[in-house]
Amino acid sequence: MSQARMAALDQAMKPQPPRSRARAFDGALISRLTASMTSYNIAIDAELRGDLDRLRARSRDMFKNNEYAAKFGRSVPREVVGPEGFQLQVRAKDPDGTFDAIANKTLQDAFWRWTMPENCDARGKRSFIDICRALLRALPRDGEYLVRRRRGNGAGEFSYQLQVLDVDRLDTLLNVMPGEGRNAIIMGVEMDEWGKPVAYHLWDRHPTESPSASRYRERVPANDIFHGFITIEDEQTRGVPWMHAALRRLNDLNGYREAAVIAARIGASKMGFFTSPDGQPPGATDGQDDKGNFVSEASPGTFDVLPEGYGFQAFNPDYPHAQFDAFCKATLRGVASAIGMSYHSLANDLEGINFTSIRSGTIEERDEWMVVQNWFITQFLIPVYEDWLEMALLSGAIKLPNGTPLPLAKKAKFMEHNWQARRWQWVDPLKDMAANVLAIENGLASPQQVCAQTGRDIEEVIDDLKHFQQMLSDKGVTLTGTTAPTGTIASAVAESGNDQGAAKPANEAKK
């Protein structure tokens, strides 16, 4: 082996100085450009202890006084609950696997009676649909809702009612560390060792309604409370207002628009200033007010001569500024992204929107609403039905057509049910209906699925059709073209040739 090769081998065998490790994440780089970025973690509950009351107060103010936040506050209950509310579909089955039609209809009719204000609301003022809308208004505004369950005598015909409470009654400042035989209390919520709520410590009234000396806290078991919120981090005890990431943007937008409007008002009101080169002009001849200020009047179609020694300096502020619309749109796009709503819906801005873009944005937004719907069904509607059913069966308030109460022993059978959430119409429903027909024809979907997508119950549709046919038969009326052959819709759409084309009538397409 040559001396050069041996020297190279010896050099390779020597310990090498440690190399500087290349950073894996640029986002963790510490420099003057990243000095303002947060570099530490803190538990979500620790943040909420100091920030939640302030966040909720600012969010409520925005929902009251900012038009875009107010629109969002109206949109959530409208899109999630809808005009008809969530529809209960009882699915009780007999031992042979067939649906118990009589029991199902009896339960649905009884539940519909319970949804009336005098039965479901402890205050007797709101129907069940109104209560759902109220909770979906509170959820984005406050980040959470609070409902107390009322059971037994005095709780209406079905021995079960709901009382909607302001979340301010759950004291954020009540925090107790766990100890021997003592549970932890986090922002008014008492938790066991696994972090499961066991009780809620509620003020007997809203904390701002009376002097503090006359208030007291009541410990309410967790099984008497519905406390709902969508978590943003694990181990979270209280909810966060949905607009938390948009509050600063909205506040900046409010300030910018206010300044722009004031500047525009000043510009529209003040034409200019009279100036004097030497600072000591002779007295003005047009007149003076009672304080000695120079006064001049302007009339249409007249030309005035300035007093001797005076010049005129025009005042022409550039407001509204050319970038006003661009700034407002950019801000509202950020706000829409923060709250999961499409920009054109939030800002009522359809400028430059075409069919493809509005459909794409609408689909994404509706997916967000359906996520909230499924969450609300799981967290509130299913437990409400189970609670109501148990109390109604115990009190014997649900009776079959022959007057026999439904037995408590079959509670597990009667628990089987679904909730159908509202669905939406499309901009071009003909194409969507044609796609549904093709999916059914090719075995890719069932009529039940398609019916559910429209927010209807297939059994109700069939019953309606049966009732309609019976009315036609009773009246001796025969309609033509009301039941077009399968595929007519699809062929009509194909023949239309464009987005604006209208489909031919069923009897014409049939020819």
Side-chain angles (χ1 to χ4, degrees), residues 431-489:
K431 287 183 176 295
D432 293 284
M433 188 59 66
N436 289 331
V437 171
L438 291 175
I440 293 174
E441 288 179 346
N442 291 279
L444 301 176
S446 66
Q448 293 92 324
Q449 289 175 308
V450 172
C451 197
Q453 291 173 2
T454 63
R456 296 292 308 278
D457 182 358
I458 187 67
E459 294 183 11
E460 292 182 357
V461 173
I462 293 174
D463 289 342
D464 288 344
L465 290 174
K466 180 180 178 181
H467 181 61
F468 176 68
Q469 300 264 355
Q470 185 63 46
M471 286 193 299
L472 293 179
S473 177
D474 293 343
K475 300 293 185 181
V477 176
T478 301
L479 298 181
T480 59
T482 57
T483 54
T486 303
T488 299
I489 297 177

Side-chain angles (χ1 to χ4, degrees), residues 11 61 90 119 192 287 301 333 347 353 477 507:
Q11 183 67 24
D61 179 68
V90 184
N119 290 325
D192 66 11
R333 288 190 181 100
I353 299 295
V477 176
N507 54 0

Side-chain angles (χ1 to χ4, degrees), residues 139 145 228-230 371-380:
L139 192 63
Y145 60 76
F229 62 91
I230 297 178
V371 169
V372 178
Q373 286 175 339
N374 293 334
W375 174 87
F376 190 70
I377 289 172
T378 303
Q379 297 295 318
F380 182 70

Side-chain angles (χ1 to χ4, degrees), residues 124-162:
K125 296 181 178 180
R126 291 189 282 197
S127 68
F128 187 62
I129 295 178
D130 294 333
I131 290 176
C132 291
R133 293 194 184 107
L135 300 186
L136 267 302
R137 278 192 299 270
L139 192 63
R141 183 192 64 217
D142 302 332
E144 54 191 345
Y145 60 76
L146 202 62
V147 182
R148 187 168 183 174
R149 317 180 207 191
R150 183 185 182 193
R151 302 182 179 93
N153 294 333
E157 176 186 353
F158 297 89
S159 302
Y160 184 72
Q161 290 179 332
L162 303 174

